[in-house]
Amino acid sequence: MDLILFVLIFMIGTLFGSFYTLAVYRIPKRQDIIRTHSYCPNCDHKLGFLDLFPIFSYVCLRGKCRYCQHKIRPRYLILEILSGILFLIMAILMKLSLETITVTKIVEYCFIVLYLTFIILIAGIDKENKKIDKLVSVYGIVISIMYMVYLCIVEETNIYRYGIYLGLYIIILLLDTITLRKFAKNSYTTGILFMIVTMVSFTGEYITANAILFTLLAIFLYLFLYKIKERKKRKKESDKEISDSLSIGFFLGFFNVLMLVIALWISNYQ
């Protein structure tokens, strides 16, 4: 019976993956992500019902638009599959099963899904546009506050800890208004700080600290390889060009999810 549940969760994950690809494309353009019908970005033709099945539509159409035959980027298929796998892994690590399922477990899993949506959208938009989108940041703050309230009321967690997180949100907002805007173009720094506080509120200090550490290591490795590539091409690029190619939000999001999965796996199989 659990197999049916896991297949259902995987399918739901692929649907979310399809939504993520749409949202990452539309949100920076400030296009509607709910009411506007899906369309081909090349020919603008509205997609039919049979074009919207995650994975199957891509495979059946051989990676091409049904209407203009323009090639569809493989990342759509990859993200749908990875989202399905990620949703399934989280369900298994959180020990969701038809025999032991409870309202509390369902609510906690729903919060994890909301959080993963935040992380994936932040990371995806940053990877594509080198930007921490404000609307997605606001979404992250809202769901983190909802999660804090849930933990304090239902699970009677220490409220002072989450009071500190709320205080950090306020401090960052004040810094952004007064100081950071003068130094951080498009408030990228503010977005990263908001992202880190949201990560801490959902995954805790230890996982977030490890995600930051691995992000710094990844950035160091990236810059090292970038310099080697630069020497081979005998073309020196400015610090601004190098900085613009770095997507800190993407690295943070990737390592945060990775550390979360590892931490849950260790807690289950110690």
Side-chain angles (χ1 to χ4, degrees), residues 4-263:
I4 297 174
L5 176 64
F6 292 151
V7 170
L8 179 61
I9 289 172
F10 177 80
M11 291 174 64
I12 292 172
T14 62
L15 287 171
F16 271 84
S18 181
F19 167 75
Y20 296 151
T21 58
L22 176 147
V24 167
Y25 176 79
R26 291 190 186 182
I27 288 176
K29 299 177 182 295
R30 291 297 179 259
Q31 296 180 2
D32 180 74
I33 61 173
I34 298 175
R35 294 184 297 272
T36 303
H37 200 282
S38 297
Y39 59 88
C40 171
N42 182 61
C43 65
D44 293 331
H45 195 290
K46 288 185 178 181
L47 301 182
F49 180 74
L50 296 178
D51 303 320
L52 299 175
F53 280 97
I55 301 176
F56 297 106
S57 293
Y58 186 94
V59 173
C60 292
L61 294 172
R62 297 180 181 179
K64 295 180 180 179
C65 172
R66 183 191 301 273
Y67 309 98
C68 67
Q69 296 302 306
H70 187 266
K71 189 174 181 180
I72 303 170
R73 293 173 67 177
R75 73 168 189 175
Y76 293 98
L77 174 65
I78 294 170
L79 187 54
E80 288 171 357
I81 294 173
L82 290 179
S83 295
I85 293 172
L86 181 59
F87 275 48
L88 181 57
I89 288 173
M90 294 306 300
I92 293 172
L93 292 177
M94 293 177 70
K95 297 181 179 179
L96 281 181
S97 69
L98 292 175
E99 294 179 357
T100 62
I101 199 165
T102 62
V103 174
T104 301
K105 281 191 175 182
I106 293 173
V107 172
E108 289 178 352
Y109 185 77
C110 288
F111 270 118
I112 284 294
V113 168
L114 293 174
Y115 175 68
L116 290 176
T117 298
F118 163 73
I119 286 293
I120 292 171
L121 293 184
I122 282 283
I125 292 173
D126 190 35
K127 185 72 170 63
E128 292 294 313
N129 301 278
K130 186 58 173 62
K131 174 184 179 182
I132 303 297
D133 193 90
K134 287 184 179 179
L135 292 178
V136 182
S137 293
V138 171
Y139 162 75
I141 293 170
V142 170
I143 62 170
S144 66
I145 293 173
M146 290 169 56
Y147 187 56
M148 292 177 203
V149 172
Y150 166 77
L151 290 176
C152 291
I153 295 176
V154 178
E155 300 195 4
E156 299 181 355
T157 309
N158 191 332
I159 194 172
Y160 298 108
R161 177 184 178 187
Y162 297 108
I164 293 172
Y165 299 156
L166 290 174
L168 287 174
Y169 278 136
I170 295 171
I171 291 170
I172 295 168
L173 184 60
L174 290 174
L175 283 173
D176 178 50
T177 304
I178 299 170
T179 307
L180 288 176
R181 287 184 183 276
K182 297 179 181 178
F183 306 101
K185 187 178 179 182
N186 296 325
S187 299
Y188 190 81
T189 302
T190 310
I192 292 295
L193 292 175
F194 276 132
M195 181 181 181
I196 290 173
V197 177
T198 304
M199 286 164 53
V200 172
S201 66
F202 271 96
T203 61
E205 294 86 354
Y206 180 76
I207 291 175
T208 303
N210 277 283
I212 293 172
L213 174 62
F214 278 99
T215 295
L216 293 174
L217 291 173
I219 290 172
F220 175 79
L221 180 61
Y222 177 87
L223 292 175
F224 177 73
L225 295 174
Y226 202 100
K227 287 293 184 181
I228 293 176
K229 183 180 178 181
E230 191 179 77
R231 285 184 181 180
K232 286 183 178 180
K233 289 185 175 181
R234 296 181 180 179
K235 179 184 176 183
K236 189 173 182 179
E237 298 188 14
S238 66
D239 291 340
K240 185 180 183 305
E241 288 176 317
I242 297 174
S243 175
D244 287 343
S245 66
L246 265 175
S247 300
I248 300 173
F250 171 78
F251 286 118
L252 272 174
F254 173 79
F255 285 113
N256 181 249
V257 173
L258 180 61
M259 292 299 108
L260 176 61
V261 169
I262 291 173

